[in-house]
Amino acid sequence: MSSETTGASYASAGVDIEAGDRAVELMKEWVKKTRRPEVLGGLGGFAGLFDASALKRYERPLLASATDGVGTKVDIARRMGVYDTIGHDLVAMVMDDIVVCGAEPLFMTDYICVGKVHPERVAAIVKGIAEGCVLAGCALVGGETAEHPGLLGEDDFDVAGAGTGVVEADRLLGPDRIREGDAVIAMASSGLHSNGYSLVRHVLLDRAGLSLDAHIEELGRTLGEELLVPTRIYSLDCLALIRTTEVHAFSHVTGGGLAANLARVIPDGLHAVVDRSTWTPDPVFDLVAKSGDVERLELEKTLNMGVGMLAIVPEESADVALATLADRGVDAWVAGEITDRGDHTTGAALVGDHA
């Protein structure tokens, strides 16, 4: 009588537990690089532990939290077979939301969903997340890798993350601090970042029929390389601004574009006016516009158009703010100002044409 098992098993259903364990082993060295003094224990526990007694130095600590993913940019990574940059995007999308209120990023967790666990691929994704956490100054305290055979193809994957930061209550940034005459400082994006890729993919790959391997002269690299440029992480740059000068608010330019995201932090009765002529968007934005005959309004409400973060500071603080960002290697400029329209409306507007 044969001793072989013929019944169903988790493995026969498509879930490889051993591959998952191998992925955890491969990612441990990268997670270790994000460790902060407040982190307790190591990778593999049921929960990540963070010593909250570190918050005792605050008079009234406010915890800030955010969660996000990177959208359909993961499809470009899958097609290119490049998995170690998408994690930068994930950290940027989460932690740059948290720093907007003036909070210091503390820790992050991730969730990676795959059709089939390829340990080296999962480890490469986590490597990128860990490197991003280092750039944001936060710890990666845990995560989850889930295998979904039958729902996702063997090479399909998605990533999401959640983060926590802390800010002193009386240093909370936002609309209440903004005043008429404040300067709007723009910080350059590294490219498309992680928003609008459904439009970008439709226009460049489907309509224009461009190949990810095609060298695009105006970009100076292949299309795939351009589309996978990691989202810039501004967290430590924003915290440096807070330390060196007065800051009233930040705005993270993500889905919805510059005007819509800036409007989220403008108080009732005031208006933000941003002058397009103060900067020239990177060539990739023009490529999307021309390839799909995309109207400017549609482009600007979908993509960041070359600005990834905005800081609103008193006019007299603008020079110090620009010098601080320059010292940190961030291209920045005064792009606009806060005005009083006198009609009790609020919002943000783009004026003029790009340089």
Side-chain angles (χ1 to χ4, degrees):
M1 183 176 178
S2 172
S3 61
E4 293 184 2
T5 300
T6 58
S9 67
Y10 214 11
S12 68
V15 177
D16 189 339
I17 295 177
E18 292 184 358
D21 292 340
R22 169 66 176 157
V24 171
E25 288 301 315
L26 291 175
M27 68 179 70
K28 280 184 176 179
E29 65 171 300
W30 298 108
V31 175
K32 189 180 297 184
K33 294 179 185 295
T34 75
R35 192 176 183 90
R36 288 175 51 127
E38 303 95 337
V39 176
L40 303 178
L43 196 65
F46 284 94
L49 299 175
F50 191 91
D51 186 356
S53 68
L55 305 184
K56 288 182 178 179
R57 70 178 187 272
Y58 291 84
E59 292 292 326
R60 186 187 169 200
L62 302 181
L63 294 180
S65 66
T67 185
D68 211 337
V70 297
T72 59
K73 189 172 184 175
V74 298
D75 182 58
I76 305 298
R78 179 189 62 80
R79 294 194 195 193
M80 293 288 291
V82 176
Y83 301 95
D84 62 351
T85 62
I86 205 77
H88 285 236
D89 298 289
L90 180 62
V91 176
M93 298 306 290
V94 173
M95 288 306 179
D96 283 347
D97 274 357
I98 284 176
V99 81
V100 161
C101 67
E104 174 192 356
L106 295 176
F107 58 85
M108 182 168 174
T109 57
D110 64 62
Y111 177 80
I112 303 171
C113 182
V114 299
K116 178 179 176 58
V117 172
H118 299 279
E120 289 75 17
R121 292 183 190 177
V122 174
I125 295 170
V126 175
K127 171 180 178 287
I129 297 172
E131 290 174 339
C133 285
V134 171
L135 293 174
C138 66
L140 181 59
V141 297
E144 174 71 12
T145 300
E147 195 170 22
H148 288 180
L151 296 182
L152 297 174
E154 287 195 2
D155 293 325
D156 293 337
F157 75 100
D158 199 6
V159 295
T164 299
V166 62
V167 60
E168 189 70 74
D170 63 6
R171 296 184 180 180
L172 184 69
L173 303 183
D176 291 346
R177 293 178 178 262
I178 295 176
R179 299 290 181 267
E180 181 183 0
D182 283 353
V184 178
I185 293 178
M187 301 180 219
S189 67
S190 55
L192 292 168
H193 283 185
S194 301
N195 295 104
Y197 270 73
S198 293
L199 173 65
V200 170
R201 289 163 50 248
H202 172 65
V203 166
L204 299 182
L205 303 182
D206 299 336
R207 289 190 54 165
L210 297 177
S211 167
L212 292 173
D213 295 329
H215 182 84
I216 309 297
E217 185 175 353
E218 55 263 47
L219 301 180
R221 52 188 157 198
T222 69
L223 179 62
E225 289 170 339
E226 177 69 33
L227 298 186
L228 280 188
V229 171
T231 305
R232 173 169 275 166
I233 298 173
Y234 301 93
S235 302
L236 295 184
D237 303 315
C238 291
L239 293 177
L241 280 185
I242 294 170
R243 290 194 302 271
T244 57
T245 192
E246 184 178 355
V247 178
H248 288 166
F250 290 113
S251 175
H252 187 197
V253 182
T254 55
L258 190 156
N261 281 285
L262 181 54
R264 294 168 66 181
V265 299
I266 304 301
D268 291 342
L270 294 181
H271 203 71
V273 178
V274 175
D275 187 352
R276 296 184 185 93
S277 69
T278 59
W279 83 96
T280 302
D282 289 344
V284 67
F285 298 100
D286 191 48
L287 179 65
V288 173
K290 290 181 177 178
S291 298
D293 194 24
V294 183
E295 296 181 359
R296 183 166 74 176
L297 181 60
E298 182 67 24
L299 206 66
E300 291 181 339
K301 74 178 185 180
T302 306
L303 306 178
N304 67 63
M305 298 304 294
V307 178
M309 181 71 77
L310 296 158
I312 301 174
V313 305
E315 183 181 13
E316 61 272 18
S317 298
D319 288 343
V320 175
L322 292 176
T324 298
L325 292 170
D327 287 344
R328 298 185 59 82
V330 179
D331 185 18
W333 61 96
V334 175
E337 64 177 338
I338 305 300
T339 65
D340 183 354
R341 293 184 57 175
D343 57 5
H344 304 292
T345 62
T346 186
L350 300 176
V351 300
D353 292 316
H354 286 296

